[in-house]
Amino acid sequence: DRSFKSFADLKGLKIGVTAPNSSSHFFVLYLMAKAGLMPSDASFVGVGGGERAVEAMKTGEIDAISNLDPVITRLQRDGAIRIVVDSRLPRVNYGIFGGTNPAAVLYARQEFIAANPAAIQALVNAFYKTLRWIATATTDEIVDTVPVEYFLGDRAIYVKALKANLLVYSRTGIISRQGMNSALKMMATFDPDLLDKKIDLQRTFDDRFIKRAAVLFDDPTNSDLELDERRPEVDLSSFRD
């Protein structure tokens, strides 16, 4: 809609997000809060991250959308949307959040982590190896590993979407202190339960496993590989391929 001038114009709109309480939902809530709006000033519809989202936007079921690729690239190509903020661009993230803002992360309940350290380490190892591979692979090599169901019917769209996102992929998998603070600041703008709360971020972001993955695969790019002496050790011998 060409009449959109600021995030305050989101008031009263029906906004499509991947799912309630997802990162795409939180992103809109943060933008609304910065414009002085409350979460209740708009309505939200979970539309997923595939054809359903494309259809919802094109048929007018929703007025605006906060979503991921390849949905956004597809809608943009079809002339169905006008992008007003693009978090695929690092400079945009720095402008909005003052730095990086971790969104797609591996998370689990503390009880599960404590009871299943080998399973957690195996998952983190897989993610770490994938990130390192993505950093050196060609676009076609990456797309060749993706099931065709994710292409939204057009491989070229997925290729274009991937290229648009490569700059925001982590190379190390480590969430920086700035990233932790950025995530907390974002959440606190619209979640009253977090206002004026003292939260120890070191207890909510556990980087033991990603640091061990870097050591295990002998990667020199992680600058801080010391194990946290305050946490129990995990035997690495059972985590090798």
Side-chain angles (χ1 to χ4, degrees), residues 111-127:
E111 310 91 86
F112 183 86
I113 296 174
N116 302 277
I120 293 294
Q121 189 68 60
L123 284 168
V124 172
N125 289 352
F127 274 92

Side-chain angles (χ1 to χ4, degrees), residues 2-51:
R2 296 292 175 182
S3 65
F4 184 94
K5 295 182 175 61
S6 73
F7 298 122
D9 293 329
L10 293 173
K11 186 173 183 177
L13 297 188
K14 186 181 293 184
I15 304 171
V17 296
T18 53
N21 298 319
S22 63
S23 60
S24 61
H25 185 193
F26 292 157
F27 183 59
V28 180
L29 292 178
Y30 179 62
L31 297 177
M32 289 173 59
K34 292 184 69 174
L37 300 180
M38 301 292 292
S40 58
D41 285 328
S43 58
F44 296 90
V45 180
V47 295
E51 288 286 359

Side-chain angles (χ1 to χ4, degrees), residues 12 20 25-26 39 68 79 81 83 85 91 103 111 114 119 158 167-168 173-174 178 184 197 204 209 213 239:
H25 185 193
F26 292 157
L68 312 172
I81 59 171
I83 295 179
V85 59
R91 60 178 174 78
E111 310 91 86
Y158 197 90
L167 285 177
V168 293
I174 289 181
Q178 177 277 319
L184 177 58
K197 293 290 180 65
T204 63
F209 299 96
F239 303 145

Side-chain angles (χ1 to χ4, degrees), residues 5-231:
K5 295 182 175 61
S6 73
F7 298 122
D9 293 329
L10 293 173
K11 186 173 183 177
L13 297 188
K14 186 181 293 184
I15 304 171
V17 296
T18 53
N21 298 319
S22 63
S23 60
S24 61
H25 185 193
F26 292 157
F27 183 59
V28 180
L29 292 178
Y30 179 62
L31 297 177
M32 289 173 59
K34 292 184 69 174
L37 300 180
M38 301 292 292
S40 58
D41 285 328
S43 58
F44 296 90
V45 180
V47 295
E51 288 286 359
R52 167 84 176 90
V54 174
E55 179 185 4
M57 193 68 208
K58 287 187 173 183
T59 60
E61 178 185 344
I62 54 178
D63 304 307
I65 189 168
S66 174
N67 215 284
L68 312 172
D69 266 326
V71 168
I72 296 302
T73 297
R74 165 80 174 277
L75 289 170
Q76 188 177 23
R77 184 204 65 178
D78 295 347
I81 59 171
R82 176 169 66 97
I83 295 179
V84 296
V85 59
D86 194 342
S87 62
R88 297 172 297 184
L89 303 174
R91 60 178 174 78
V92 174
N93 283 320
Y94 274 78
I96 295 173
F97 302 110
T100 60
N101 188 266
V105 298
L106 179 63
Y107 58 93
R109 297 183 66 87
Q110 185 59 49
E111 310 91 86
F112 183 86
I113 296 174
N116 302 277
I120 293 294
Q121 189 68 60
L123 284 168
V124 172
N125 289 352
F127 274 92
Y128 181 78
K129 290 176 70 175
T130 301
L131 287 174
R132 300 308 301 152
W133 177 74
I134 287 174
T136 59
T138 67
T139 303
D140 282 334
E141 286 173 337
I142 297 172
V143 175
D144 284 343
T145 69
V146 178
V148 296
E149 292 80 9
Y150 287 83
F151 294 169
L152 295 185
D154 190 336
R155 178 187 170 96
I157 282 290
Y158 197 90
V159 169
K160 186 175 182 179
L162 175 63
K163 289 179 178 179
N165 284 273
L166 285 176
L167 285 177
V168 293
Y169 273 79
S170 172
R171 295 296 187 266
T172 65
I174 289 181
I175 299 176
S176 67
R177 167 68 67 172
Q178 177 277 319
M180 297 181 195
N181 289 329
S182 175
L184 177 58
K185 177 183 176 182
M186 178 185 74
M187 297 286 291
T189 60
F190 56 82
D191 187 342
D193 291 337
L194 294 178
L195 291 176
D196 302 320
K197 293 290 180 65
K198 292 184 178 180
I199 297 176
D200 183 357
L201 291 173
Q202 289 300 122
R203 297 181 63 187
T204 63
F205 291 81
D206 189 343
D207 60 6
R208 291 175 296 158
F209 299 96
I210 192 65
K211 288 181 177 179
R212 289 186 173 111
V215 171
L216 179 62
F217 298 110
D218 194 27
D219 182 83
T221 63
N222 271 324
S223 59
D224 182 11
L225 300 179
E226 291 81 9
L227 300 182
D228 191 335
E229 299 298 334
R230 296 169 299 174
R231 299 179 184 271

